[in-house]
Amino acid sequence: MDTRNDMLRLLKSRRPGFSLEQPFYTDPDYHRLDLELIWYRDWLFVGHDCEVAKPGAYFTVQVGDYPVVIVRGRDGQIRAFHNSCRHRGSRVCTTQKGTSARLVCPYHQWTYDLDGSLVFARQMAEDFRKEEFGLKPVACESVGGYVFICLANEPADFAPFRALMEPYFRPHRLTEAKVAFESTIVEKGNWKLVWENNRECYHCAGNHPELCKTFPEAPTVTGVNGAESDPDMLAHWARCEAAGLPSRFRIDERGQYRATRAPLLRDAVSYTMSGRRAVKRNLSDDVAADRIGTLLLYHYPTTWNHVLGDHAVTFRVLPISANETAVTTKWLVHKDAVEGVDYDLAELTHVWTETNDQDRRIVEENAFGIRSPAYEPGPYSELHEGGVIQFVDWYAGFMAPRLAEGAAPRLKSVA
Amino acid sequence: MNAPADPALYRHLDEMTPWDDRLQVLEVTGVTEEAPDVRTFTFRSDAQTWFRYKPGQFVTLELPVGPEPLLRTYTLSSSPSRPFSIAVTAKAQAGSIGTRWMFENLKPGAHVRAYGPAGGFTHHDHPAGKYLFISAGSGVTPMMSMLRWFSDCAPWSDVAFVNCARRPEEIIFRKELELLGSRMPGLSLGFLIEERSSRESWFGHMGRIDAVRLPLLSPDFREREVFCCGPDPFMRAVRGMLEASGFDMTHYHQESFAAPAPAPAPVDVEALAAEDGAPVQEALPIRFSLSDASGECLPGQTILQAARAAGVRIPAACEFGLCGTCKTMKLSGEVEMAHNGGILDDEIAEGFILACCSKPLTAVEVAA
């Protein structure tokens, strides 16, 4: 409770436009509150529909203390369950992904149907009622090829996000793409540092030679302010919308998610060293227009995304501890695109593999420095770091009232 | 699954769907003492379905005897002309486990899982003008199924029915056979016992079946389609007599109720050899490539059972094709698989089978 009060006090007294106090980036108790109040409450991007393309396909994810399995049922529906056997709690699915006709606990072979119902438990008492011991469901929604889960008992309404995001993404048909490659790196830094780094391109010029060949450093692209007055952005939106692709900048009123389409530099069409396409075959049969730039989406706290004409790169952030964050990157291409024929995997993944590694080093250096007793919050660049300011404001805006719920004033006994 | 309904309520056949062994379990509706240590167990489906089978076929009962359920095959004694129920008639031999368990546990209202029906020992597949059904002991059950069908559907059929027993009171279905004999003009009954009994008088033939007695019981046996069922020595004797008499053996069909030859490995021989009730046709060779072991798969036996008999361990849990624990790669050969959703079509296409519910149709090699 003291941590809650401390955290709340620091959030309320923070200087706007400045980075957060040290414990937000380092303290295990603060991290636990991040998990409880953000990660266990909000919608989280976990993976793609196309990763569970067929009935019986599943993947697993670990959110804080919660192991979760996402599986496609015989009816085609994607569902999520707590990956904990109702017998003695063992994890039922122990691999990151797989395909199985039923979900069978490896411990005693309690067998769950793909809809979570317990269908077989060997030699239990006669009055044992299987229907009372199905896998516990986790709220699960799929939109535009993205699967989101929510661990809260009463999840926030998913409909507004769906309404904003779906029209932008539907033409790109990520539901039926395929993951050409994925990588997971662990960055030794707090998840908020990973996000803060991602929300600005102030650092790009000095750190991302590969990405800077194609991705503009203009703050209007990554930030949340000024896009509407940038003639390049307006022209790009007009061109793309004329081609049937929703593109204008839209953001949730609470700042949790936004979508927009941004141009790449000059004639670049893809994140390659040459700027030329990495995949011969278009990502979507429905999008033939060229130079559509990149469709950007973020949804706090788990995902930022780039959808191009020839491929998509999606990112998933998951906290491991106060000082470690896993970042999973997936490169999606048309499901019929053939490696070695339609694309070269090294060429496809080069730019973001390098960029991710560069970002990892930046975040880790940042975390190192923040652990110094001499650290104190510093000012963000209003011109270049509007996106970071927006992220920190979102964080404070979500955390403060939730902290206040649980931090009802308790009178200390006075001797 | 169809909703269970009050068994006392009659539903027309065309309102009901056929029994599906994957979905429905059997419920005992009656248990009848037929002879010493011989009982008939009558079942209906727990979901009021009807039974589609040929007279003479068998079912496999899954008996929850111990930690690993026993699978036992029993020929049906009932006739598909009375499709609302099925019945098996079983003799509990000394040392039997499965049938003894049935005697002690299967009471009206009890439920048991079953698979099938299956088997090719049926006159339906060998139509003829005249039949000889020759059986010993509980080998009478498939004969009874066929005879009941004839009585219901073709009562003028020409059937010579010969049954051999040790004592008069051990003749199973004797009273019913005599009743049918009075109603089917073409039915001739012949009984042969080995020893007299103090409990019942006996005026008929005595001794073991041989070249002298067979023509006495069925003078025109050479003109008949012969169905034979009983212990191995009995069937060997009948076969020998027929061959010696110049009988055209393409018209001879046999089904066994004796335990088959002992399994090569002593592992779980019990589960291997269906006591009392297993029709023995031809064993198929099975190869376990990872264990470098070979074995035989007896008719009605699953690959999992054959593996156990050969000392090869395949992990398994539910043993009715539901959990998929026994998923195994089939390297060659053909099987018939009656799974319960424990395997995906894609996995089947890749060559996987569930060992617990796959029975070989040919020689088989599996990666186990």
Side-chain angles (χ1 to χ4, degrees), chain B:
Chain B
M1 191 183 286
N2 297 352
D6 181 352
L9 287 174
Y10 174 71
R11 288 173 73 200
H12 288 281
L13 196 60
D14 58 5
E15 295 176 301
M16 295 162 61
T17 54
W19 180 65
D20 182 337
D21 59 356
R22 296 184 190 189
L23 302 177
Q24 293 125 17
V25 301
L26 299 180
E27 180 185 324
V28 179
T29 54
V31 180
T32 313
E33 296 262 2
E34 301 284 2
D37 278 331
V38 179
R39 286 184 199 172
T40 293
F41 298 89
T42 306
F43 304 95
R44 69 172 195 125
S45 153
D46 69 339
Q48 271 224 346
T49 54
W50 61 279
F51 296 92
R52 177 195 291 278
Y53 61 103
K54 293 175 184 173
Q57 286 194 302
F58 61 86
V59 289
T60 302
L61 299 184
E62 182 183 300
L63 306 174
V65 172
E68 308 265 0
L70 288 181
L71 292 169
R72 288 286 180 271
T73 53
Y74 295 92
T75 43
L76 295 165
S77 51
S78 54
S79 163
S81 54
R82 301 172 201 181
F84 297 100
S85 64
I86 52 172
V88 301
T89 302
K91 175 162 188 159
Q93 312 279 13
S96 101
I97 294 175
T99 306
R100 190 61 67 190
W101 182 91
M102 288 169 63
F103 274 39
E104 283 161 15
N105 293 280
L106 287 189
K107 305 280 162 24
H111 288 85
V112 64
R113 191 168 280 283
Y115 309 99
F121 187 73
T122 169
H123 74 270
H124 269 217
D125 294 347
H126 306 282
K130 295 158 80 171
Y131 296 93
L132 166 60
F133 293 166
I134 179 164
S135 59
S138 54
V140 72
T141 52
M143 312 303 182
M144 199 62 195
S145 177
M146 291 190 278
L147 191 66
R148 283 169 168 165
W149 187 88
F150 278 125
S151 170
D152 282 347
C153 302
W156 56 87
S157 300
D158 188 333
V159 181
F161 197 103
V162 174
N163 182 249
C164 305
R166 207 151 54 87
R167 301 159 189 266
E169 66 265 26
E170 290 177 19
I171 297 173
I172 302 167
F173 305 127
R174 183 175 170 190
K175 282 182 182 159
E176 184 176 346
L177 286 167
E178 286 169 355
L179 183 68
L180 291 175
S182 70
R183 300 189 168 189
M184 291 178 65
L187 173 62
S188 71
L189 294 170
F191 297 111
L192 189 61
I193 62 156
E194 288 181 33
E195 51 189 80
R196 288 178 189 282
S197 158
S198 54
R199 289 167 59 187
E200 284 191 43
S201 56
W202 185 254
F203 311 101
H205 298 279
M206 287 192 63
R208 290 197 171 201
I209 192 86
D210 58 22
V212 175
R213 289 178 177 87
L214 180 61
L216 284 174
L217 295 164
S218 176
D220 56 352
F221 71 89
R222 285 182 188 80
E223 299 157 29
R224 294 177 179 270
E225 195 79 16
V226 179
F227 286 82
C228 178
C229 184
D232 264 343
F234 171 80
M235 290 194 298
R236 273 200 300 275
V238 172
R239 221 190 145 93
M241 275 181 283
L242 291 174
E243 280 167 349
S245 73
F247 184 78
D248 176 1
M249 294 306 282
T250 57
H251 295 287
Y252 173 82
H253 316 280
Q254 74 172 41
E255 184 91 323
S256 170
F257 276 76
V267 183
D268 204 358
V269 177
E270 209 279 330
L272 206 212
E275 83 229 19
D276 328 330
V280 169
Q281 292 141 6
E282 206 182 329
L284 291 165
I286 179 163
R287 170 93 192 138
F288 304 96
S289 61
L290 299 181
S291 313
D292 193 22
S294 296
E296 286 199 322
C297 207
L298 301 165
Q301 203 176 30
T302 64
I303 285 177
L304 182 65
Q305 292 169 316
R308 286 178 179 153
V312 173
R313 182 80 188 153
I314 298 177
C318 75
E319 297 193 30
F320 55 99
L322 186 146
C323 75
T325 304
C326 62
K327 190 168 72 183
T328 308
M329 176 61 86
K330 184 190 71 179
L331 302 172
S332 67
E334 294 300 319
V335 302
E336 73 177 347
M337 178 163 58
H339 69 86
N340 260 316
I343 188 167
L344 296 164
D345 290 345
D346 286 356
E347 294 171 326
I348 296 171
E350 287 168 30
F352 287 101
I353 56 167
L354 297 184
C356 74
C357 56
S358 293
K359 295 174 182 171
L361 297 170
T362 65
V364 165
E365 181 173 11
V366 294

Side-chain angles (χ1 to χ4, degrees), chain A residues 97-361:
Chain A
K97 55 184 62 184
T99 304
S100 185
R102 294 244 158 77
L103 306 182
V104 185
C105 179
Y107 199 174
H108 302 93
Q109 286 75 48
W110 277 34
T111 302
Y112 300 89
D113 213 338
L114 302 177
D115 65 4
S117 55
L118 178 63
V119 292
F120 171 71
R122 195 153 43 100
Q123 287 159 4
M124 296 298 291
E126 242 172 52
D127 58 356
F128 174 72
R129 291 172 54 79
K130 286 203 289 274
E131 50 272 39
E132 291 173 10
F133 296 96
L135 288 177
K136 290 186 177 175
V138 173
C140 183
E141 295 277 354
S142 156
V143 56
Y146 288 70
V147 179
F148 282 77
I149 63 166
C150 181
L151 293 163
N153 289 330
E154 289 175 23
D157 188 3
F158 192 75
F161 173 65
R162 179 187 298 281
L164 183 147
M165 186 263 205
E166 197 165 32
Y168 285 78
F169 279 76
R170 197 191 296 115
H172 298 283
R173 294 173 67 158
L174 292 180
T175 45
E176 48 192 284
K178 74 169 177 186
V179 176
F181 188 72
E182 74 171 88
S183 80
T184 296
I185 60 171
V186 174
E187 304 188 13
K188 295 194 183 74
N190 187 275
W191 67 275
K192 294 187 289 295
L193 293 181
V194 173
W195 265 108
E196 288 186 33
N197 174 63
N198 175 265
R199 290 295 78 212
E200 45 93 358
C201 216
Y202 192 22
H203 71 274
C204 289
N207 292 281
H208 296 318
E210 293 85 1
L211 185 62
C212 285
K213 289 187 183 298
T214 51
F215 190 72
E217 292 162 64
T220 47
V221 171
T222 48
V224 289
N225 300 316
E228 309 273 354
S229 57
D230 179 336
D232 288 348
M233 290 293 276
L234 291 170
H236 186 67
W237 294 341
R239 213 173 63 79
C240 292
E241 297 208 333
L245 300 173
S247 301
R248 299 193 69 84
F249 177 85
R250 282 185 68 194
I251 188 165
D252 158 49
E253 60 183 20
R254 302 178 69 199
Q256 192 179 17
Y257 47 87
R258 69 97 207 253
T260 190
R261 207 176 293 273
L264 298 182
L265 290 176
R266 293 177 295 277
D267 291 328
V269 296
S270 190
Y271 293 132
T272 55
M273 296 302 284
S274 64
R276 288 192 288 271
R277 54 194 307 151
V279 187
K280 284 183 193 150
R281 185 160 190 157
N282 285 342
L283 171 62
S284 166
D285 293 338
D286 294 345
V287 179
D290 63 347
R291 293 203 294 120
I292 58 171
T294 176
L295 171 60
L296 302 171
L297 169 84
Y298 71 67
H299 185 293
Y300 298 144
T302 41
T303 189
W304 66 81
N305 297 271
H306 295 262
V307 180
L308 311 158
D310 64 337
H311 74 278
V313 199
T314 72
F315 300 82
R316 182 185 70 190
V317 177
L318 287 173
I320 296 173
S321 68
N323 297 302
E324 289 170 301
T325 306
V327 177
T328 300
T329 308
K330 288 167 186 168
W331 286 261
L332 280 71
V333 299
H334 192 285
K335 70 175 184 335
D336 296 329
V338 179
E339 184 186 339
V341 177
D342 294 303
Y343 60 93
D344 174 72
L345 198 57
E347 185 188 18
L348 173 68
T349 57
H350 178 74
V351 167
W352 274 105
T353 301
E354 294 301 317
T355 304
N356 281 340
D357 194 52
Q358 291 147 6
D359 279 327
R360 177 187 61 74
R361 274 183 271 132

